[in-house]
Amino acid sequence: MPSPVPAHPPLRVAVLGCGVVGTQVVRLLTTQASDLASRVGAPLELVGVAVRDADAERDPVVDRALLTTDAESLVERADVVVEVMGGLEPARGLLLRAIAAGASVVTANKALLAQDGPTLYAAADEAGVDIYFEAAVAGAIPIVRPVRESLAGDRVTRVLGIVNGTTNYVLDKMASEGLDLDQAVKEAQALGYAEADPTADVEGYDAAAKAAILASLAFHTRVSIDDVSREGITSLTADDVLWAQRTGHVLKLLAIAERGSVEDADGARVEGVQVRVHPALVPAGHPLASVRGAFNAVFVEAEAAGELMFYGRGAGGEPTASAVLGDVVSVARHRVLGGKGPVESRYAELPVLPATAARTRYQVRLEVADRPGVLAQVAAVLAAHDVSIEAVRQSPASQTPEADVARLVITTHVAPEHALRSTVDAIAGLDVVRRVVSVLRVEGA
């Protein structure tokens, strides 16, 4: 039996949005009311659920008497406002209105935080209320709090993550069943992993928003989605996936945020942060390579703590609602017992470095003339650009569409992105090179 709830007035909770996640939030607030009250130290009273259409069909767990289309009035009579409606507006205006009225805020809105989080953080700080957003990154996986609080005394050097379950499912199906991209996306849509318009997922926008949030937390620097170099998975083919397996890798869409440096005009090294989202080859022995289906995982590297990995369900109504309710309990306890959660930390103010500043490895697949001396010419171009070769594989002419064509797979050592790009351009210009089939980065080695 839960322990007796202390005598404290109920805290009024408003929920903005009643889709898949919002419905599960309402379910947990109502079915676990007694336990939540014991954890908080006061009852949590659900005072309303804001929706666009109050007459639309709903899960029976949602009391229709709580539905309202007047979100503005609802947030002004709440102690805690939970925003799971998504989008920039009206979510931003409603949260600012709630904060101005003295409510603490819990949001799962990664797009809003990545685009205009500082406005919300500043408003909450000035009003003396909390803003929590664990559910905005990787669903039920606890990653925001560990980076923001548990690692606050450490120096994070790199964050490497699979933060979009849809693309991970698609790439996993391409690898395990030999599906092409379109087939795998359609299967993801049929299972509810992908929206009817999967652009935000397959083009990397969703992952880029999450990368911006993680980078801001990890490096105490404001990073917006516009600072993130982004590349989706739409150019990947079944052949790319097959060659990844042949070379001991797994293809993943990765969000990467890491410390780096560039040389300024005077030749001095300037430290900064580089944030990017792109498909990458992950060595089969790396922990991220084993993340299957629609699961997410975030790999964090810190100077004192070393390597840490957070793994679990990154999407879905119940997992995301779990993260939301964890934040609700935290902000509600602060209101009952006093105190306040962490505020935005941006003291470092590191510059955000361009994508060309990244240091990585490449795997380049080429179709070349099948005659002696070709590899030497390609190697000479790599050497001229100070890019060294780690490994070379060659398919004989019998395995290529044309009898006089061979396929080379070249894996480089780590080099600056700008050097690798210019190297590939120079290789493509060789007379003996018929076609650059693909260029993929190798991460996690």
Side-chain angles (χ1 to χ4, degrees), residues 62-415:
V62 180
D63 184 351
R64 303 196 72 86
L66 293 172
L67 300 178
T68 178
T69 57
D70 188 359
E72 291 83 0
S73 297
L74 177 61
V75 300
E76 291 182 346
R77 56 187 176 90
D79 300 306
V80 177
V81 172
V82 176
E83 186 269 309
V84 287
M85 62 197 308
L88 300 182
E89 293 292 354
R92 173 170 37 200
L94 290 171
L95 291 185
L96 289 173
R97 194 181 191 113
I99 290 168
S104 295
V105 165
V106 173
T107 178
N109 196 330
K110 68 256 182 186
L112 176 56
L113 293 173
Q115 188 70 46
D116 198 21
T119 298
L120 296 172
Y121 306 147
D125 192 32
E126 183 177 353
V129 299
D130 286 329
I131 177 167
Y132 273 52
F133 47 91
E134 184 66 68
V137 181
I141 302 174
I143 185 61
V144 169
R145 196 166 310 200
V147 172
R148 183 164 68 162
E149 299 179 40
S150 302
L151 294 174
D154 207 338
R155 186 174 189 267
V156 176
T157 56
R158 195 178 198 217
V159 179
L160 183 74
I162 298 167
V163 295
N164 182 273
T166 299
T167 52
N168 200 56
Y169 177 87
V170 167
L171 293 174
D172 188 33
K173 284 295 180 180
M174 291 175 71
S176 62
E177 299 182 12
L179 303 182
D180 64 27
L181 182 73
D182 289 341
Q183 289 175 311
V185 169
K186 288 177 181 176
E187 188 169 315
Q189 290 171 321
L191 293 172
Y193 293 144
E195 301 288 343
D197 179 1
T199 301
D201 295 320
V202 298
E203 293 290 358
Y205 291 103
D206 176 83
K210 295 169 182 175
I213 295 169
L214 285 174
S216 300
L217 296 172
F219 303 114
H220 308 278
T221 293
R222 284 182 173 174
V223 178
S224 80
I225 192 170
D226 296 329
D227 296 318
V228 181
S229 171
R230 177 195 52 79
E231 180 184 331
I233 66 170
T234 52
S235 64
L236 298 181
T237 66
D239 199 38
D240 291 325
V241 175
L242 178 62
W243 270 100
Q245 295 172 330
R246 287 178 178 172
T247 57
H249 297 88
V250 179
L251 260 175
K252 299 292 184 183
L253 181 70
L254 295 182
I256 303 169
E258 60 188 351
R259 293 180 184 271
S261 63
V262 293
E263 196 173 274
D264 66 14
D266 299 322
R269 301 303 298 183
V270 177
E271 184 180 0
V273 178
Q274 208 285 315
V275 191
R276 61 192 190 275
V277 167
H278 55 68
L281 295 165
V282 178
H286 193 280
L288 289 178
S290 62
V291 179
R292 304 289 303 275
F295 278 73
N296 283 189
V298 180
F299 198 78
V300 180
E301 299 172 14
E303 288 187 352
E307 297 177 342
L308 307 167
M309 184 161 139
F310 303 84
Y311 168 84
R313 295 189 180 276
E318 291 181 345
T320 306
S322 171
V324 168
L325 264 292
D327 282 351
V328 169
V329 169
S330 294
V331 303
R333 281 183 63 81
H334 291 159
R335 298 186 77 92
V336 171
L337 303 176
K340 188 174 180 293
V343 298
E344 181 191 20
S345 176
R346 58 184 180 92
Y347 74 90
E349 295 185 339
L350 297 171
V352 179
L353 305 178
T356 52
R359 291 183 60 81
T360 186
R361 298 159 63 214
Y362 269 12
Q363 187 180 97
V364 184
R365 290 196 291 128
L366 307 170
E367 287 183 356
V368 301
D370 188 22
R371 62 174 185 259
V374 170
L375 179 57
Q377 292 185 54
V378 174
V381 172
L382 286 157
H385 288 80
D386 293 322
V387 176
S388 61
I389 297 174
E390 180 182 276
V392 178
R393 293 173 63 108
Q394 179 174 348
S395 295
S398 61
Q399 294 183 15
T400 57
E402 301 173 54
D404 61 343
V405 174
R407 179 168 287 179
L408 292 180
V409 181
I410 300 172
T411 304
T412 73
H413 283 291
V414 174

